[in-house]
Protein backbone atom coordinates (compact mmCIF):
# COMPACT_ATOMS: atom_id res chain seq x y z
CA UNK A 1 0.00 0.00 0.00
CA UNK A 2 1.09 3.55 -0.55
CA UNK A 3 1.57 5.83 2.46
CA UNK A 4 -1.54 7.84 1.61
CA UNK A 5 -3.63 4.65 1.45
CA UNK A 6 -2.40 3.59 4.88
CA UNK A 7 -3.39 6.97 6.31
CA UNK A 8 -6.77 6.73 4.55
CA UNK A 9 -7.52 3.38 6.23
CA UNK A 10 -6.90 4.90 9.65
CA UNK A 11 -8.98 7.96 8.73
CA UNK A 12 -11.89 5.76 7.61
CA UNK A 13 -11.86 3.83 10.88
CA UNK A 14 -11.84 7.05 12.89
CA UNK A 15 -14.73 8.58 10.94
CA UNK A 16 -16.79 5.37 10.98
CA UNK A 17 -16.66 4.90 14.76
CA UNK A 18 -16.21 8.08 16.79
CA UNK A 19 -15.42 6.09 19.96
CA UNK A 20 -12.66 4.00 18.40
CA UNK A 21 -9.08 4.68 19.40
CA UNK A 22 -6.67 3.92 16.59
CA UNK A 23 -3.10 2.69 16.99
CA UNK A 24 -0.59 2.67 14.17
CA UNK A 25 2.75 0.86 14.21
CA UNK A 26 5.42 1.60 11.66
CA UNK A 27 9.11 1.18 11.07
CA UNK A 28 9.91 3.35 8.08
CA UNK A 29 9.27 6.63 6.31
CA UNK A 30 6.39 5.10 4.34
CA UNK A 31 4.44 4.61 7.60
CA UNK A 32 4.69 8.22 8.80
CA UNK A 33 1.31 9.46 7.40
CA UNK A 34 -0.43 6.48 9.03
CA UNK A 35 1.29 7.14 12.37
CA UNK A 36 0.38 10.82 12.26
CA UNK A 37 -3.27 10.08 11.40
CA UNK A 38 -3.74 7.59 14.26
CA UNK A 39 -4.58 8.55 17.84
CA UNK A 40 -1.53 6.67 19.12
CA UNK A 41 1.56 6.12 17.01
CA UNK A 42 4.33 3.65 17.72
CA UNK A 43 7.60 3.80 15.84
CA UNK A 44 10.11 0.98 15.63
CA UNK A 45 13.83 1.54 15.55
CA UNK A 46 14.99 -0.25 12.45
CA UNK A 47 17.10 -0.41 9.35
CA UNK A 48 14.76 1.83 7.38
CA UNK A 49 15.65 4.97 9.29
CA UNK A 50 14.41 7.07 12.17
CA UNK A 51 11.58 8.96 10.45
CA UNK A 52 8.82 6.79 11.97
CA UNK A 53 10.37 7.06 15.43
CA UNK A 54 10.59 10.85 15.13
CA UNK A 55 6.90 11.09 14.16
CA UNK A 56 5.52 8.65 16.74
CA UNK A 57 4.19 9.02 20.27
CA UNK A 58 6.10 5.98 21.54
CA UNK A 59 9.28 4.38 20.24
CA UNK A 60 10.28 0.76 20.81
CA UNK A 61 13.27 -1.25 19.71
CA UNK A 62 11.63 -4.55 18.75
CA UNK A 63 8.16 -5.98 18.23
CA UNK A 64 8.49 -8.09 21.37
CA UNK A 65 8.36 -4.90 23.47
CA UNK A 66 4.94 -4.09 22.00
CA UNK A 67 3.31 -6.76 24.20
CA UNK A 68 4.49 -5.04 27.40
CA UNK A 69 3.60 -1.59 26.11
CA UNK A 70 0.02 -2.47 25.18
CA UNK A 71 -0.86 -4.63 28.16
CA UNK A 72 0.83 -2.54 30.84
CA UNK A 73 -0.65 0.74 29.65
CA UNK A 74 -3.98 -0.95 28.92
CA UNK A 75 -4.13 -2.34 32.45
CA UNK A 76 -3.24 1.02 33.97
CA UNK A 77 -5.96 2.69 31.91
CA UNK A 78 -8.51 0.06 33.02
CA UNK A 79 -7.59 0.57 36.68
CA UNK A 80 -7.87 4.37 36.41
CA UNK A 81 -11.25 4.16 34.71
CA UNK A 82 -12.53 1.66 37.30
CA UNK A 83 -11.43 3.86 40.19
CA UNK A 84 -13.09 6.87 38.60
CA UNK A 85 -16.34 4.98 38.06
CA UNK A 86 -16.44 3.79 41.68
CA UNK A 87 -15.73 7.35 42.86
CA UNK A 88 -18.64 8.74 40.82
CA UNK A 89 -21.02 6.03 41.98
CA UNK A 90 -20.24 6.60 45.66
CA UNK A 91 -20.31 10.38 45.24
CA UNK A 92 -23.75 10.30 43.64
CA UNK A 93 -25.00 7.83 46.24
CA UNK A 94 -23.92 10.14 49.08
CA UNK A 95 -25.47 13.21 47.40
CA UNK A 96 -28.74 11.33 46.89
CA UNK A 97 -28.72 10.02 50.44
CA UNK A 98 -28.25 13.47 51.91
Amino acid sequence: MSPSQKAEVVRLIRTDDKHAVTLAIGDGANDVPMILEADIGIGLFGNEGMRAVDSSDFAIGEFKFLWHLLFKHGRWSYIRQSDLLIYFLYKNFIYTLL
Side-chain angles (χ1 to χ4, degrees):
M1 295 176 73
S2 70
S4 61
Q5 289 173 330
K6 292 178 181 182
E8 184 65 27
V9 168
V10 175
R11 191 175 304 117
L12 287 172
I13 292 170
R14 288 181 69 186
T15 56
D16 184 47
D17 186 5
K18 299 294 183 192
H19 301 293
V21 177
T22 55
L23 173 101
I25 303 168
D27 64 346
N30 60 341
D31 297 324
V32 170
M34 175 182 62
I35 290 172
L36 292 175
E37 187 67 35
D39 294 319
I40 303 167
I42 298 177
L44 289 168
F45 293 106
N47 298 334
E48 295 186 29
M50 297 290 289
R51 184 108 188 270
V53 172
D54 293 338
S55 302
S56 65
D57 299 318
F58 297 98
I60 57 176
E62 296 178 12
F63 269 110
K64 69 178 181 179
F65 300 133
L66 185 63
W67 176 268
H68 297 290
L69 179 70
L70 291 177
F71 284 100
K72 184 179 286 186
H73 286 283
R75 183 173 187 274
W76 288 348
S77 175
Y78 177 77
I79 289 170
R80 286 191 300 264
Q81 289 178 6
S82 300
D83 289 343
L84 191 65
L85 179 67
I86 289 171
Y87 168 75
F88 282 128
L89 287 174
Y90 282 128
K91 179 187 66 113
N92 290 334
F93 178 72
I94 295 297
Y95 281 151
T96 306
L97 189 65
L98 292 176

